[in-house]
Amino acid sequence: MLVNRQNLASHYGWCGVFIVGTVAAIAWYAIFSRGAAQWPGGSSLPGLVCGALAGAIILFEFLLWPRKTLVRVWRIGRTQTWMRAHIWLGLLAVPLVAVHAWKELGGTLSTMLVVLFAIVIASGVFGLVLQQILPRVMLERVPAETIYSQVDRMARQYCDEADELVSAICGVPADEDSKSTSVERGDPVEAAVATTHVTIGAMRSIGAVRGRVWQMQAAVTAVPDSGVLRTAFSSIIRPYLLAGRRSGSVLANELQAGSFFAGLKGKLPAPAHTAVDQVEGLCDQRRQFDLQVRLHAWLHGWLWVHLPLSVALVLLMFVHIFVALKYW
């Protein structure tokens, strides 16, 4: 999170800059306007200075993008310092723009510029709120979180583990596709045997931390009359483990999944219930991955609005400066 109890003190200085800058701009404009026949416009001394400062801040705000993308080439300052400055100076630009432009609204160019500026600020505040809320939600509701780009690979691993377990319980060989996958990762499937040792668990990868959410090395004995488990796995469970919500499976819903597995256990002998619970646990972790994907989309999707409009704002700002100087 960008703002929390641990780093709150580091925001005090920037918050002070925002408060002092806001009060100073408004007070200067009020004092300058005293006794004047009409409110000063953007070409007045306070309007011009506030407009110049706002333009400089907008340019600085935009520099955060190349600062992030060219971090290996351009290492000026710490990223956290840039982010704190980005937040508070971006907020400071609001009163500066208000002092500079509020009397000038009505023209096409100035109105477009102010509206675009307002959308950029609003989208930035929206993104800040998301980055305050969603990481906490992800930590609490997605204990099986992994690196976003590895979600599909982890889902495939879950499917392989479930396939090995089901094959051991049902006493039938896993399908050829799962066999080839297991061989590739060095875990040959042992099927059609009385007792098989199966490892159930999932690797967790977050940054440099790697571990398993849970892991079980169990001796699994084939259970007679458990073919319904193999059928359910092939038709419903396996597609969901591989594709998640995209499969349209009932397992994407926690309540429907609970009902499905409860009904499945009702059709199986008691010795197979433990295996069903373990497969259900893998499906639960797959649902966590689905949630992680959705939260990731929200956490980063707002940038598709904020960044392009920021580029447009900078370009339009230069047009505004050119026009203003031309007709001054």
Side-chain angles (χ1 to χ4, degrees):
M1 292 185 292
L2 296 177
V3 183
N4 53 42
R5 293 182 179 179
Q6 287 71 32
N7 65 15
L8 188 60
S10 63
H11 287 268
Y12 290 159
W14 290 107
C15 182
V17 171
F18 165 71
I19 295 174
V20 171
T22 299
V23 172
I26 295 175
W28 186 21
Y29 186 81
I31 293 172
F32 192 86
S33 304
R34 183 182 301 174
Q38 59 181 357
W39 292 100
S43 59
S44 65
L45 182 58
L48 189 61
V49 172
C50 287
L53 290 175
I57 288 175
I58 290 172
L59 285 177
F60 172 80
E61 298 287 286
F62 181 72
L63 288 178
L64 180 63
W65 174 52
R67 168 63 177 78
K68 283 186 173 181
T69 55
L70 303 177
V71 65
R72 295 184 179 181
V73 179
W74 183 22
R75 294 179 179 270
I76 301 178
R78 298 175 58 191
T79 301
Q80 293 181 352
T81 302
W82 275 79
M83 289 302 303
R84 288 191 286 268
H86 189 82
I87 293 170
W88 293 105
L89 292 182
L91 293 175
L92 176 59
V94 175
L96 294 178
V97 168
V99 170
H100 173 73
W102 76 272
K103 190 176 180 294
E104 307 298 330
L105 289 180
T108 302
L109 180 59
S110 60
T111 301
M112 288 178 56
L113 188 59
V114 170
V115 170
L116 189 58
F117 173 77
I119 296 175
V120 169
I121 291 295
S123 64
V125 172
F126 179 71
L128 177 61
V129 172
L130 289 181
Q131 293 182 57
Q132 290 298 115
I133 296 175
L134 294 188
R136 186 184 299 112
V137 173
M138 191 173 296
L139 183 64
E140 294 174 352
R141 298 185 57 187
V142 191
E145 177 190 3
T146 188
I147 298 174
Y148 177 75
S149 61
Q150 297 297 311
V151 166
D152 289 338
R153 184 184 69 83
M154 294 302 302
R156 185 72 182 185
Q157 178 178 320
Y158 284 4
C159 186
D160 289 342
E161 292 175 350
D163 200 354
E164 291 181 24
L165 179 61
V166 170
S167 298
I169 290 293
C170 297
V172 296
D175 58 56
E176 293 300 322
D177 182 59
S178 297
K179 279 184 177 179
S180 62
T181 303
S182 299
V183 170
E184 287 176 358
R185 61 192 187 95
D187 298 327
V189 176
E190 298 180 26
V193 294
T195 301
T196 303
H197 285 81
V198 177
T199 300
I200 299 297
M203 185 70 71
R204 178 174 181 172
S205 306
I206 304 178
V209 179
R210 299 180 65 86
R212 281 188 180 264
V213 178
W214 53 269
Q215 177 177 331
M216 178 181 297
Q217 180 76 31
V220 180
T221 303
V223 178
D225 302 321
S226 58
V228 66
L229 177 58
R230 165 57 63 185
T231 301
F233 177 79
S234 300
S235 61
I236 298 177
I237 300 173
R238 188 175 191 273
Y240 175 69
L241 288 176
L242 290 177
R245 294 177 71 247
R246 300 190 305 271
S247 66
S249 172
V250 297
L251 300 181
N253 181 279
E254 185 175 359
L255 293 178
Q256 293 180 353
S259 299
F260 170 82
F261 282 107
L264 183 60
K265 285 194 287 188
K267 301 175 183 178
L268 291 167
H273 290 184
T274 300
V276 174
D277 290 336
Q278 293 169 346
V279 173
E280 183 177 7
L282 290 173
C283 290
D284 176 68
Q285 293 189 53
R286 187 63 176 93
R287 279 194 301 276
Q288 293 181 39
F289 282 173
D290 290 339
L291 178 58
Q292 179 185 348
V293 170
R294 296 200 300 273
L295 293 178
H296 185 276
W298 276 100
L299 193 59
H300 299 277
W302 66 277
L303 286 171
W304 290 101
V305 174
H306 187 70
L307 184 56
L309 292 185
S310 297
V311 175
L313 177 64
V314 171
L315 295 176
L316 195 60
M317 182 182 70
F318 280 113
V319 174
H320 171 69
I321 293 172
F322 174 78
V323 173
L325 292 176
K326 181 178 180 180
Y327 295 101
W328 193 9

